[in-house]
Amino acid sequence: MKSRHISQWVDDFLDQHPTRANSLIITVYGDFIAPHGGTVWLGSFIRLVRPLGLNERMVRTSVYRLSQEKWLVSEQLGRKSYYSLTTSGRRRFEHAYRRIYVAPQDSWTGQWQLVMIPSSMAGTQRDALRKELAWAGYGALGSGILAHPSADTDALLDILQETGAHDKVVAMKAVNITALTSKPLQELVHDCWNLEALSAKYLAFVDLFRPVLRTMRAASSLDPEQCFLVQTLLMHDFRRALLHDPQLPSQLLPANWSGGVARQLCRDLYSVTYPLAQQHLLSVCETANGPLPPAAPYFYERFGGLVAPASPEKP
């Protein structure tokens, strides 16, 4: 039985937080479709997202645009269209959702990743690289120098490869030789990243979703479709906040950092919604071979570990 309170909350969210169809579809593909093979019949996908305020015309327009942007590829079988993640689209999803589902580093050794962009690089390519690096949390130390206090070399190499800049920039590691909590270092962090604005985004996220968690925890039963809707809006809103988060190590963050509170709330609500949200997904979506396949094992590694469904007992 559907909860009147949850239905009203979903309606209010969609009314007060307008979302672009492309972005919402990316959330659904990344959070739901990708772990189940990445392919879905468009007609069933339209049914899935209709309660999110996306009508058939909006969905068809958006998946066409996402195909033009190399996120999706379509295949026509008879009168049905099936949309799949492209190889590059899957890689971009994996890069994006790694930041969502894997907790940031708890400790820091003082190591930095540096990218030096020469002035000779073409303007459009330089802008594309800066955009990708900024999205990945890199801050500008100076003209043509971007940095991040991270040891994630693989993520950096992926960005350089995707933007075609792997043979055009200088990437290196540096190590802090002063105290990791020194005043100059704190000032540098303040200059490179707007943590005050980010903290406000996280606090707004907490204020919006904490009442939903309380309501769902107190309910005697939950509705699968409502679980799907809440989980989608949860991940969509958390992803939007996380897009601006450089995910700095704890030594460089203010005390009582709101990002940690927001992540814990997101994990708790995800744990409540995902079992029935998965049930709803599998009951609605189809592939050319029938229902969606089961979720890949990596799905259950999200947020430090989800409970996988029990395997049926052998006779």
Side-chain angles (χ1 to χ4, degrees):
M1 182 176 178
K2 292 186 185 301
S3 162
R4 178 173 55 84
H5 296 292
I6 296 298
S7 292
Q8 187 61 55
W9 181 89
V10 170
D11 290 343
D12 290 344
F13 184 103
L14 295 174
D15 182 56
Q16 298 168 16
H17 302 80
T19 56
R20 293 175 57 246
N22 285 24
S23 182
L24 199 54
I25 288 173
I26 285 175
T27 294
V28 175
Y29 250 93
D31 192 53
F32 287 98
I33 307 299
H36 291 272
T39 301
V40 66
W41 171 42
L42 182 59
S44 64
F45 186 81
I46 290 171
R47 287 201 306 270
L48 181 71
V49 300
R50 185 177 293 123
L52 292 165
L54 303 180
N55 59 40
E56 180 175 351
R57 179 186 58 80
M58 295 167 70
V59 175
R60 290 185 181 278
T61 300
S62 293
V63 296
Y64 174 76
R65 289 174 178 168
L66 290 171
S67 298
Q68 297 295 105
E69 295 170 6
K70 309 302 182 185
W71 284 91
L72 302 175
V73 61
S74 65
E75 181 181 11
Q76 193 79 21
L77 295 176
R79 301 183 64 182
K80 292 184 175 182
S81 297
Y82 298 85
Y83 278 81
S84 307
L85 288 169
T86 61
T87 301
S88 62
R90 185 179 294 276
R91 187 162 53 243
R92 290 155 80 181
F93 273 127
E94 289 172 353
H95 179 66
Y97 283 88
R98 189 186 312 140
R99 300 182 67 202
I100 293 176
Y101 300 118
V102 179
Q105 55 186 332
D106 290 328
S107 60
W108 182 50
T109 61
Q111 187 174 99
W112 295 78
Q113 301 275 7
L114 299 180
V115 180
M116 301 182 183
I117 306 176
S119 57
S120 59
M121 179 181 281
T124 53
Q125 187 177 35
R126 183 171 61 247
D127 291 344
L129 176 60
R130 282 181 175 276
K131 181 179 178 180
E132 290 294 322
L133 289 173
W135 188 90
Y138 280 72
L141 296 184
S143 178
I145 304 175
L146 289 92
H148 192 276
S150 162
D152 192 351
T153 303
D154 290 341
L156 174 58
L157 293 177
D158 281 347
I159 291 173
L160 297 181
Q161 193 69 38
E162 281 293 306
T163 57
H166 58 285
D167 59 349
K168 298 182 176 64
V169 302
V170 177
M172 61 177 64
K173 294 181 180 180
V175 178
N176 211 75
I177 59 175
T178 59
L180 301 184
T181 56
S182 67
K183 183 178 179 181
L185 188 56
Q186 297 296 328
E187 292 175 348
L188 177 66
V189 168
H190 180 79
D191 290 342
C192 289
W193 295 282
N194 190 346
L195 296 182
E196 291 82 2
L198 178 59
S199 180
K201 288 180 184 292
Y202 277 134
L203 290 174
F205 172 86
V206 171
D207 289 343
L208 182 58
F209 284 94
R210 183 175 279 159
V212 188
L213 177 60
R214 290 173 180 160
T215 298
M216 300 190 87
R217 277 179 167 171
S220 58
S221 63
L222 298 173
D223 176 76
E225 183 180 67
Q226 288 188 329
C227 286
F228 165 77
L229 297 177
V230 169
Q231 183 178 312
T232 298
L233 298 178
L234 170 77
M235 300 314 296
H236 186 69
D237 212 51
F238 188 60
R239 182 170 68 90
R240 289 198 298 184
L242 202 62
L243 283 174
H244 304 278
D245 190 346
Q247 293 192 298
L248 303 178
S250 57
Q251 293 99 318
L252 300 179
L253 292 171
N256 302 316
W257 173 237
S258 59
V261 178
R263 176 173 288 277
Q264 185 61 49
L265 171 61
C266 185
R267 183 184 187 279
D268 290 345
L269 188 49
Y270 197 95
S271 297
V272 170
T273 57
Y274 91 86
L276 288 179
Q278 286 288 300
Q279 179 181 314
H280 178 69
L281 174 76
L282 295 175
S283 71
V284 174
C285 288
E286 302 175 26
T287 70
N289 297 317
L292 289 178
Y298 75 81
F299 171 79
Y300 298 100
E301 298 173 2
R302 292 177 172 182
F303 292 113
L306 303 172
V307 178
S311 300
E313 294 183 5
K314 295 181 179 179

